[in-house]
Amino acid sequence: MTAADTAIILMAAGVGKRFGSNKLLAPYRGRPMWEYALDVALTAKSVRGTPVILVSGYQTLLDAPDVIPVRNDCPLLGASHTVRLGVKAAEQLGAEYAIFMVADQPELKAASLLRLIEAREPGKIVCLAKDGQAGNPVLFHRAFFPELLALTGDRGGKRVMHRHPDAVSWVEAEDARELKDIDRPEVD
């Protein structure tokens, strides 16, 4: 089993309702917020050979180097639509595993993502957590791809994870800040 059998799906298609604008392009510590997640994903690609699928409706993001761009022209269909687009792209690559990352989690560390990749095993879901609090990213074995493809609305893969508690294993984040996503501009 090689890490190249794992695709990272960077979910960057949200409309930022709670934020009030496109939060992914908003500055966070001097850089656009989404670039932090991209850096983490590309570190995993360079270390482990994992392809990075970037799902977005924003051309600026889709033009990022070293990613497989997947256009989401219907972000109002919710997170499930982004998940489905990502799974379909991962299947086209022949991936055995898909990791779903969000692009508004700028404190995530590459070391945590790499540990998540190393923890993968057939028939399992692996979730980054801190002190019992589940977060993102989450890795799914392909056995769960049909359920991910059947999702609807503005909820993502956690719905599938909750249906299969016996299949879930956990990777501990180094710091609780890694799990925090940015939903409001005043957080910066």
Side-chain angles (χ1 to χ4, degrees), residues 19-180:
F19 196 82
S21 64
N22 179 353
K23 65 181 171 180
L24 301 179
L25 296 177
Y28 181 84
R29 296 187 180 163
R31 296 174 61 201
M33 187 184 319
W34 77 282
E35 288 182 2
Y36 293 93
L38 179 65
D39 288 349
V40 168
L42 291 178
T43 296
K45 178 180 181 179
S46 70
V47 172
R48 299 285 185 226
T50 53
V52 177
I53 299 164
L54 192 145
V55 182
S56 184
Y58 304 110
Q59 192 60 48
T60 302
L61 280 64
L62 293 172
D63 289 340
D66 300 319
V67 301
I68 299 165
V70 175
R71 179 168 291 285
N72 180 347
D73 286 326
C74 301
L76 293 176
L77 293 177
S80 64
H81 184 61
T82 300
V83 168
R84 289 191 308 272
L85 290 169
V87 169
K88 288 175 185 175
E91 286 181 325
Q92 288 178 344
L93 295 174
E96 287 292 313
Y97 301 89
I99 298 175
F100 292 90
M101 284 181 62
V102 293
D104 63 349
Q105 201 172 323
E107 299 295 330
L108 179 66
K109 294 181 178 21
S112 294
L113 181 60
L114 291 168
R115 284 196 316 280
L116 198 73
I117 293 168
E118 292 305 315
R120 71 199 185 286
E121 58 182 291
K124 293 289 187 179
I125 299 168
V126 186
C127 182
L128 190 66
K130 182 65 176 167
D131 300 327
Q133 180 69 35
N136 285 307
V138 181
L139 177 146
F140 292 87
H141 179 256
R142 73 176 302 109
F144 300 100
F145 287 4
E147 285 184 68
L148 292 167
L149 288 168
L151 290 171
T152 59
D154 198 27
R155 292 190 53 209
K158 293 265 173 73
R159 203 177 319 172
V160 175
M161 189 175 94
H162 293 305
R163 282 188 212 135
H164 303 280
D166 293 341
V168 178
S169 61
W170 308 92
V171 167
E172 193 75 2
E174 294 174 15
D175 186 317
R177 289 178 295 181
E178 289 189 74
L179 303 181
K180 185 164 182 63

